[in-house]
Each structure stands twice: as structure tokens, then as C-alpha cells.
Amino acid sequence: AQSVTQPDIHITVSEGASLELRCNYSYGATPYLFWYVQSPGQGLQLLLKYFSGDTLVQGIKGFEAEFKRSQSSFNLRKPSVHWSDAAEYFCAVGALDQAGTALIFGKGTTLSVSS
Amino acid sequence: GAGVSQSPSNKVTEKGKDVELRCDPISGHTALYWYRQSLGQGLEFLIYFQGNSAPDKSGLPSDRFSAERTGGSVSTLTIQRTQQEDSAVYLCASSRTNTDTQYFGPGTRLTVL
């Protein structure tokens, strides 16, 4: 069965520092991969996605992620974090099967930004 | 509308009552998904609709949960005889096709007393 692991429950980063959020997935074929962000009281917003092609994908708000098949990873990065980036981040894998592309989410990583 | 809308935004109910949660997808989106977000279980897929096809109910946790989608647009998630463990945020998402990006609504926070 497909699964997603986000090893870090909570991360604190200084404003202006770089960020990397880890995501590992388990799926037999090439997955669809996503990163969503959820701010307090807000819905899920898509940051970026990988379907095929270039393994380094750019997203909104200066985020990028790299798909590494050999490591079954899809880590999210940002070179310089802003205080407004504080939120919860979810990695998800979509597997095309009879349930459309129902997403399987990781447990999330909460990002705190210190000044 | 510009995005997925859900109503009500908050619902408080008593154990044993039935509740209905509504989702209005983005116009033209043929695929519609329901998810549940709870502290203990994280984000879980519940049910999927594609156009007028029979829904995929593989994620529904019990037969107390059901959903319908009328006219290929608005969807209603019904929970019968609510239990305290049903307390969660119920999220709806829609996508243009079943392989396209899913856009999420703001959710309905359900509290069962």
C-alpha cells in the first residue's frame, strides 16, 4: 500500500535561513507527488507538484522540491525562510487507481520561524 | 465561484444525531473528493466522485458515512448517528480531471458532543 512519511513533526528555522522538509513515499510505480501548506484556520494550498519530467520542480512562494526515485524522496526546500512561511506542510502521493488520484498524506511537519 | 466552498464552516452536534456537510466544487471540475483531517489520524481520503460514475467509497470508515453528488456538481456528505470519534475537519477537493491538481475547500469543523 502507498504511504508517505514525514520524519520531522516540528522544525524551527531562523528567518532568512534555508529550509528543507523531508518526505519519503512508498509506491510501486511512478507516483504523483505534491506539497501542500496549511496555515492556521486555512485550507490546504498547493505549493508544487511532480507528475513527470524534470525532477526539480519549482512552486509558489519560492519553494522547490526534488524527486529522487532512488531514495523514494520528494524533499521541499526554500533558500531563505520568511516569517510568513510558518505553517504546517503536508507531503502527499497520488496514485492513479480506481479512486481517481486520491491523495495519501503524510502526518505533516509544523514549521516555526524564529526572528 | 473562484474556489471550492463548503458549508457550514462549523457544526456542533450531539452524539447520535445525523449531520449533512455540503461541498460546492469549482465550476467545470469533474472530480470531487472528500477527506477527513483529525488529530489522531491526520488527513484521510474518504470518497471520490468522477462525473456521473458510481463513487469510490473505499475510504469511508463505516456504513454511517455516505455521500452523494447531484448533477455532477454539488456534493453532500452525510454522517448518521454521529459518534465523538467523528469529530474532525472534513475537507472537500475538486479537480478538473481525475489526474489533475486537487483544490481544497476551507473545510467544515465538526464537533460531536
Side-chain angles (χ1 to χ4, degrees), chain B residues 55-96:
Chain B
D56 184 302
K57 306 177 183 179
S58 58
L60 293 179
S62 79
D63 59 7
R64 296 185 296 103
F65 288 72
S66 63
E68 63 178 19
R69 189 178 185 191
T70 54
S73 181
V74 172
S75 177
T76 302
L77 177 69
T78 301
I79 309 173
Q80 295 179 309
R81 305 180 304 281
T82 52
Q83 303 294 312
Q84 288 184 331
E85 60 263 28
D86 299 335
S87 296
V89 176
Y90 290 82
L91 295 167
C92 176
S94 71
S95 59
R96 190 169 52 87

Side-chain angles (χ1 to χ4, degrees), chain B residues 8-59:
Chain B
S9 56
N10 281 283
K11 177 72 176 180
V12 180
T13 190
E14 294 179 348
K15 177 182 173 181
K17 301 278 186 155
D18 297 351
V19 295
E20 286 188 351
L21 312 179
R22 176 188 169 103
C23 171
D24 282 272
I26 294 172
S27 178
H29 281 196
T30 63
L32 187 147
Y33 303 79
W34 283 96
Y35 295 86
R36 178 170 71 174
Q37 185 174 25
S38 59
L39 283 175
Q41 300 299 320
L43 276 154
E44 307 170 277
F45 161 74
L46 296 177
I47 188 169
Y48 157 69
F49 294 89
Q50 173 59 48
N52 295 319
S53 302
D56 184 302
K57 306 177 183 179
S58 58

Side-chain angles (χ1 to χ4, degrees), chain A residues 93-104:
Chain A
V93 60
L96 184 60
D97 56 19
Q98 66 182 77
T101 317
L103 297 176
I104 298 168

